Amino acid sequence: MEQKVECRLFIIEYVCPECKVGKLTHSGVVLTSNPPQYPHKCSNCDYRESFNHVYPLVSYEPKT
């Protein structure tokens, strides 16, 4: 049986470890490794890093 549950929504951003100001965002490219890698670039400096998922992430938790 389906049940509607109210929840809180969160957006998880990745702050650049280099400049500590910009956010890393997905470049639109997918590397076909196993598992796939998603290159990201800082919005402030030229720092680049790849992850197993795309930032920003969307997360939620049930309201209590």
Side-chain angles (χ1 to χ4, degrees):
M1 172 170 72
E2 289 184 2
Q3 180 180 7
K4 189 187 296 187
V5 178
E6 189 174 0
C7 67
R8 296 177 354 147
L9 181 66
F10 298 92
I11 295 175
I12 303 168
E13 299 176 321
Y14 197 94
V15 177
C16 179
E18 191 73 24
C19 70
K20 313 259 188 292
V21 174
K23 307 279 193 300
L24 293 179
T25 56
H26 184 236
S27 65
V29 175
V30 178
L31 304 176
T32 57
S33 57
N34 187 13
Q37 295 286 305
Y38 302 93
H40 289 64
K41 182 181 176 199
C42 177
S43 60
N44 185 58
C45 67
D46 199 33
Y47 181 78
R48 296 169 190 265
E49 188 170 343
S50 293
F51 300 100
N52 291 340
H53 48 268
V54 175
Y55 283 103
L57 287 172
V58 177
S59 177
Y60 60 91
E61 48 183 61
K63 270 191 174 176
T64 55

